[in-house]
Amino acid sequence: MASATLSVNLSALRANYQLLKNRHAKKSIASVVKANAYGLGVAEVSKALAAEGCTLFFVATLDEAMELRGTLPKADIAVFNGIFKGEETEFKAHNIIPVANDLEQGDRCQVAGVRKYFVHVDTGMTRLGLSETDIGKFLSQSPIPNPQPLLLLSHLSCANDPAHPKNAEQLLRLKEAQKYFPNAPVSFANSSGLFLPDEYHFDLGRPGCALYGINPVAGENPMRHVATLSAPILQIRELDRDESVGYGATFEAGKNARIAIVGLGYSDGYFRSLSNRGVAFIAGHKVPIVGRISMDMIALDVSQVPASAITENSRAEFINVGQTVDDIAEQCGTIGYEVFTRIGRRVRRIYTES
């Protein structure tokens, strides 16, 4: 297969869903599939999660929701970014649930007849959501007496650090907000939040990254590896003289070195910052990236790999069980979310059961 591929193990995805569901105090979770299911492919991912019993999916935008609706015609789909002027008809027509993040969105839901909506309260993330002052105004200014959303939600900012005092602060603030909406179920725990004590779980968990194998906790990853990034070997060069490799001549290879040129680059989302310091795997052998990563190609030094171990079907793996998405993220000073979501569209997504 002469293209870079992201191979998604649906069996591992489903196992992660069940693990997270069992972590929740009430065994109740939704799935966050925004950003094309964190880059893994929303159609196949969401179908697999629905087959596991998931009935509620969160995305970021109305466009994402409408795309998902084509895959899951009967599922509940909620939009984190909420409902904006002119979108009311689409939300109603496609049975999409907006998350009301401010007073205008709350009024828009009620005035436009979008009765099915969630309310987001800000408990200290300082991102989207109603402030404590806004909650009072929402209730007093509502055109509908005593409005009760289908779900009250907030978002933990430091759940990956169980000892962080922000967790307890946000929990207290959420409980205060809950008094204004006594009949609404509550969603608070994200992926990391599901590993906090049960008092953080409320009625519904809302995992995202952990579904896809990204580590939600400090220390050993409890999740199964889901996605493997590989690319074809386009050519192997055996040098007949000392030679530089790549743009800028930043690496010098010696005579008789064997250099594999692989069809992956920064246009596919692989980090150029890993030039001359990242590694890949070929036939189980760890090999260094040499020279600068270019738009479409990466050079690997395979001098230490037996020539017989590399066949015409061999591929270089850049994310696998031996070098996870979190490992790549650590090398690049980022997080696994960014690694997955930046993988480009021309990287072919394929789906397996093992």
Side-chain angles (χ1 to χ4, degrees), residues 24-354:
H24 189 263
K26 295 186 177 181
K27 305 294 187 291
S28 177
I29 62 171
S31 295
V32 180
V33 294
K34 60 184 179 178
N36 195 28
Y38 286 53
L40 275 61
V42 69
E44 294 299 326
V45 164
S46 61
K47 284 190 290 186
L49 293 171
E52 287 300 301
C54 186
T55 59
L56 173 59
F57 297 82
F58 283 87
V59 295
T61 68
L62 176 59
D63 284 345
E64 288 184 343
M66 292 176 65
E67 178 184 0
L68 182 57
R69 176 58 75 217
T71 299
L72 300 178
K74 296 182 180 180
D76 286 327
I77 302 171
V79 175
F80 278 130
N81 289 4
I83 183 170
F84 295 88
K85 187 175 181 179
E87 294 182 340
E88 298 89 345
T89 300
E90 297 289 356
F91 270 91
K92 291 170 64 177
H94 297 279
N95 194 26
I96 306 299
I97 303 170
V99 176
N101 294 293
D102 58 34
L103 295 174
E104 288 186 3
Q105 289 189 343
D107 290 345
R108 193 168 293 124
C109 289
Q110 297 173 64
V111 173
V114 183
R115 306 291 189 188
K116 204 173 180 181
Y117 66 93
F118 299 162
V119 165
H120 181 192
V121 294
D122 179 20
T123 56
M125 183 77 161
T126 314
R127 206 167 60 173
L128 297 177
L130 299 172
S131 68
E132 185 175 357
T133 301
D134 288 337
I135 294 173
K137 292 179 179 178
F138 176 83
L139 294 171
S140 64
Q141 298 175 8
S142 171
I144 299 173
N146 191 31
Q148 292 295 313
L150 290 178
L151 185 72
L152 181 68
L153 65 91
S154 192
H155 196 76
L156 285 156
S157 61
C158 301
N160 60 323
D161 180 0
H164 201 291
K166 192 72 175 181
N167 295 324
E169 176 194 330
Q170 287 192 263
L171 178 62
L172 181 62
R173 292 173 66 176
L174 178 56
K175 288 180 177 179
E176 288 299 312
Q178 191 180 12
K179 295 177 183 178
Y180 293 95
F181 304 98
N183 298 321
V186 176
S187 176
F188 193 34
N190 52 12
S191 290
S192 296
L194 291 171
F195 293 83
L196 293 177
D198 288 359
E199 62 180 331
Y200 288 86
H201 293 188
F202 290 90
D203 300 290
L204 179 74
R206 214 169 60 242
C209 71
L211 290 168
Y212 313 112
I214 296 172
N215 193 353
V217 298
E220 185 176 354
N221 191 352
M223 314 312 300
R224 285 186 56 182
H225 176 78
V226 172
T228 296
L229 177 65
S230 69
I233 299 170
L234 306 177
Q235 188 181 66
I236 295 180
R237 305 285 303 278
E238 185 166 344
L239 304 186
D240 56 9
R241 53 174 287 176
D242 293 350
E243 194 68 270
S244 64
V245 178
Y247 286 116
T250 61
F251 181 84
E252 292 288 335
K255 182 180 179 180
N256 299 324
R258 290 166 51 238
I259 305 297
I261 308 302
V262 177
L264 184 76
Y266 59 75
S267 67
D268 302 301
Y270 203 73
F271 290 79
R272 187 173 181 271
S273 61
L274 292 175
S275 299
N276 286 312
R277 64 189 188 92
V279 299
F281 291 80
I282 297 179
H285 297 267
K286 183 187 289 188
V287 295
I289 294 173
V290 294
R292 287 183 183 162
I293 293 171
S294 57
M295 182 179 291
D296 311 301
M297 287 175 278
I298 296 175
L300 304 172
D301 187 344
V302 297
S303 302
Q304 302 305 311
V305 180
S308 60
I310 304 178
T311 71
E312 63 180 1
N313 295 320
S314 295
R315 296 174 67 85
E317 294 184 347
F318 293 84
I319 298 175
N320 61 11
V321 174
Q323 180 171 247
T324 68
V325 63
D326 293 305
D327 294 330
I328 295 292
E330 184 176 3
Q331 293 170 39
C332 296
T334 184
I335 55 177
Y337 305 58
E338 182 182 2
V339 177
F340 272 156
T341 58
R342 66 184 277 144
I343 293 175
R345 289 189 300 172
R346 73 178 180 184
V347 175
R348 183 180 177 192
R349 275 70 170 170
I350 61 175
Y351 300 91
T352 70
E353 291 293 340
S354 62

